[in-house]
Amino acid sequence: MTEGVSRPTLEAVAARAGVSRATVSRVVNGGDGVREPLAERVRQAVAELGYVPNQAARSLVTKRHDAVAVVIAEPETRVFTDPFFALQLRGISKELTAHDNQLVLLLTEGRDDHARVARYLAGGHVDGALVFSLHLDDPLPGLIHDAGVPTVFGGRPHWGDQVAGSTRPTGEDPGVVYVDCDNRGGARAAVRHLVGLGRTRVAHLTGALDQTSAVDRLDGYRDVMAEVPGGNDPRLVVESDFTPAGGERAMRGLLDRCPDVDAVFAANDLTALGALRVLRASGRRVPEDVAVIGFDDMLPVAMEADPPLTTVRQEIEEMGRLMARLLLRGLAGGRDRTGTTVASAPAGGVILPTTLIRRASA
Amino acid sequence: MTEGVSRPTLEAVAARAGVSRATVSRVVNGGDGVREPLAERVRQAVAELGYVPNQAARSLVTKRHDAVAVVIAEPETRVFTDPFFALQLRGISKELTAHDNQLVLLLTEGRDDHARVARYLAGGHVDGALVFSLHLDDPLPGLIHDAGVPTVFGGRPHWGDQVAGSTRPTGEDPGVVYVDCDNRGGARAAVRHLVGLGRTRVAHLTGALDQTSAVDRLDGYRDVMAEVPGGNDPRLVVESDFTPAGGERAMRGLLDRCPDVDAVFAANDLTALGALRVLRASGRRVPEDVAVIGFDDMLPVAMEADPPLTTVRQEIEEMGRLMARLLLRGLAGGRDRTGTTVASAPAGGVILPTTLIRRASA
DNA sequence: ATGAAAGCGCTAACAT
DNA sequence: ATGTTAGCGCTTTCAT
């Protein structure tokens, strides 16, 4: 661990090139309005001295940081057993990098961290925030909103959508920007596929219902089942929690109450995995006796399952990219001279499509 | 996406409290040498105005950033199908947060990104770096070393350890600090367990051998097998790549050449998963006919495998914490008045122990 | 113990 | 087109 000596400043470059600081600054920041021979001399000096601008000094005057925070609020362990966030991060990172922005990662483990994050965001260290908050009762979105930082949410946030039955939730804050996948549409496609297979007793193992994704998938299931004769048997819906253990539990309960079930739509791949195991243990064959579909296309789980899982894929990385792009666009487009951000990002949500991936389980 | 108005400055707080800027600064930074009544007035003003220090201005004078970069160099997809980095990140984040440091995440996808990262690090935006680079031929560690930023590596880096047979690799750069798990010892424990079970034909499916972890695990396997009669049959070692598909391929090859194999130590859980499937397809029972052990204790893979996987667990999150702690300690301890870092972090590597987790597969 | 003042390195008016 | 200059908000001597 060695420390370099103090780095050259604009001043030093200016001296070396025999110009003023302002000229160097111009060249370094794009070089408009500097004649070529001079600009070249400056670039020379920059290269020779290995000059790198001091970001702190720059931010101090520009009030820009070229940095955005990624806030992941997840007290549960799910984040860390699921490549979901890793993929989102990759997408975000790629997009940010392409626009010379840095990614400041803020992980929160619970209530205590919320204050810290809110303070950081309110402190104006970053130009904007990308926020993941999966739980309906999470105060973080509100805190962040109050912090007044331009924000894009990952996954539909909960505000004011008590009416779970509507396609576009009522009371949605028009100023809130978010990116999500088409949970409801994906669920519909899955259940339709099952019904199309001729299955008549199609069950649903839900996700944790304090997350909008779980609610939306349940809604999608109901959309289709409402049109199927005998499809609204409430016993076919079992609440679970997105985990394999939860999937097992739910599947066992389901088998008890509805031994005649011939298809299962699980809220995610992990849940499907648990269901698969219980089905196997019960002597049922998949997909012959019971067809199973998951959600996420979480690799390697889906592909390595036995049998390989038919599932609804969401383009996770693309969601990340999109979030970053929306935020950056908002930042670039915004800000009139009073410092107020001009509305330029699309308000409301952007929903990415899902695709049904057919493998062996359904 | 709304923008707040400009935030209060030190000046404003000073005016409000009726003191000088210097006094406010003292209170904000710990408050030594300010008498209580006055200090309290300042704290009042800070609270009333909701003052948060401007980090850019502060960094400009202190030359500290209270931020460290986490560099993850991983062109492969492995990072994103494996909760490994997510867990490390969590550990790092916790430790950093506890010391009021921010985490700047730098993901690299290939050579192009290396220059960018090197520039960023050399640019003095962060106080130090935590670097993950899994591949032996990766130029990044070298670049980072040249950048002169205090650094702690995750996983033993490759420099000068061509002599794979020694416990402490010769030629190890004494200035390099890294944290790793005891890959070799863990491998030994796994293989010893297999041998203790009475297995005589114990095979090893290696990881990608351009990664030190794979090499070390192979070495551990060889350590034990060298003492077993007939243990150095080269056909029992099959090169693989840490993926399930690779595990399948390797296992098939192994079965062809050594149908009498009765135990397999896979370089990681994913590889074991592939092996498990091939074994099942070949009609062999696990563990009765062939015992299988993995490495990582990667959940949910290991626990949800069929049968649940006996494996070598490494404390991934703890490794992350430790890396951060070492870096921070080096930063805090270091720096005499000339700005040169005083050696205070332990040179060389810190190796965390592994534990064998017994489940059903061996 | 407190205040006054000098920058940290940079950008952005404003001159020329 | 280029140079001069005034800060950005903070910490840190140096006086008092």
Side-chain angles (χ1 to χ4, degrees), chain A:
Chain A
M1 312 215 306
T2 39
E3 183 87 1
V5 286
S6 60
R7 302 180 299 106
T9 69
L10 244 204
E11 182 94 53
V13 177
R16 174 120 189 171
V19 299
S20 74
R21 282 171 14 221
T23 299
V24 178
S25 177
R26 285 175 189 123
V27 172
V28 170
N29 296 305
D32 320 318
V34 177
R35 257 194 276 271
E36 199 34 62
L38 237 199
E40 186 51 34
R41 265 211 341 258
V42 172
R43 273 185 233 108
Q44 275 278 342
V46 166
E48 288 168 12
L49 265 39
Y51 169 75
V52 184
N54 179 319
Q55 187 60 42
R58 178 180 279 173
S59 294
L60 188 53
V61 29
T62 62
K63 275 121 171 49
R64 291 221 34 162
H65 303 263
D66 296 320
V68 337
V70 172
V71 182
I72 300 185
E74 187 49 80
E76 309 296 317
T77 65
R78 183 185 156 209
V79 196
F80 301 104
T81 65
D82 185 322
F84 191 82
F85 285 105
L87 278 169
Q88 297 247 41
L89 273 180
R90 171 149 82 164
I92 290 169
S93 167
K94 278 183 179 168
E95 194 67 23
L96 254 28
T97 293
H99 293 84
D100 268 308
N101 268 263
Q102 294 311 322
L103 192 171
V104 178
L105 186 65
L106 268 27
L107 260 28
T108 75
E109 298 284 335
R111 300 295 149 116
D112 299 352
D113 287 352
H114 288 163
R116 170 178 64 85
V117 168
R119 193 166 0 104
Y120 182 79
L121 258 24
H125 300 285
V126 292
D127 302 323
L130 265 16
V131 179
F132 297 90
S133 160
L134 292 92
H135 297 279
L136 298 190
D137 60 345
D138 196 327
L140 200 59
L143 287 173
I144 289 169
H145 189 254
D146 296 346
V149 184
T151 300
V152 174
F153 287 90
R156 182 165 63 80
H158 176 51
W159 295 323
D161 57 295
Q162 300 86 345
V163 185
S166 66
T167 312
R168 281 293 174 133
T170 56
E172 184 172 282
D173 182 332
V176 172
V177 181
Y178 69 86
V179 173
D180 206 340
C181 82
D182 184 9
N183 286 302
R184 190 164 186 163
R188 281 200 207 103
V191 179
R192 261 196 223 108
H193 177 68
L194 258 11
V195 171
L197 254 27
R199 310 290 169 145
T200 57
R201 299 290 284 164
V202 181
H204 178 43
L205 311 184
T206 78
L209 290 173
D210 66 335
Q211 303 180 22
T212 54
S213 58
V215 173
D216 292 351
R217 289 170 199 183
L218 172 57
D219 286 345
Y221 165 83
R222 286 191 172 136
D223 290 344
V224 177
M225 294 305 281
E227 304 165 355
V228 174
N232 42 21
D233 183 343
R235 293 173 307 165
L236 287 172
V237 174
V238 186
E239 188 165 345
S240 187
D241 60 3
F242 282 135
T243 69
E248 286 191 32
R249 220 175 304 126
M251 191 68 222
R252 262 193 295 268
L254 179 64
L255 251 23
D256 277 355
R257 279 177 290 160
C258 306
D260 62 334
V261 61
D262 60 6
V264 172
F265 167 49
N268 73 345
D269 293 345
L270 258 19
T271 302
L273 212 63
L276 240 33
R277 202 170 21 229
V278 169
L279 284 168
R280 200 183 306 134
S282 82
R284 285 167 173 83
R285 293 163 307 161
V286 176
E288 293 83 351
D289 301 324
V290 182
V292 175
I293 296 193
F295 204 113
D296 282 351
D297 196 24
M298 165 177 164
L299 306 167
V301 170
M303 247 161 71
E304 307 304 330
D306 182 23
L309 209 56
T310 293
T311 189
V312 180
R313 151 177 280 164
Q314 47 174 330
E315 296 299 332
I316 302 175
E317 184 173 336
E318 185 53 31
M319 285 174 56
R321 290 194 88 109
L322 189 54
M323 287 177 67
R325 205 174 306 141
L326 289 177
L327 182 63
L328 258 20
R329 189 182 302 163
L331 294 176
R335 289 168 218 265
D336 58 26
R337 57 189 58 187
T338 70
T340 310
T341 298
V342 177
S344 64
V350 178
I351 308 295
L352 259 29
T354 57
T355 44
L356 188 68
I357 304 292
R358 292 212 46 185
R359 295 207 180 86
S361 71

Side-chain angles (χ1 to χ4, degrees), chain B residues 120-198:
Chain B
Y120 183 78
L121 258 24
H125 300 283
V126 291
D127 301 324
L130 264 16
V131 178
F132 297 89
S133 161
L134 293 92
H135 298 279
L136 298 191
D137 59 345
D138 196 326
L140 200 59
L143 287 173
I144 288 169
H145 189 255
D146 295 348
V149 183
T151 301
V152 173
F153 288 89
R156 182 165 62 80
H158 177 51
W159 296 324
D161 58 294
Q162 301 85 348
V163 185
S166 65
T167 312
R168 282 292 174 132
T170 57
E172 186 172 280
D173 183 332
V176 171
V177 181
Y178 69 86
V179 173
D180 206 341
C181 82
D182 185 9
N183 286 302
R184 191 163 183 164
R188 281 200 207 103
V191 178
R192 261 196 222 108
H193 177 69
L194 258 11
V195 170
L197 253 29

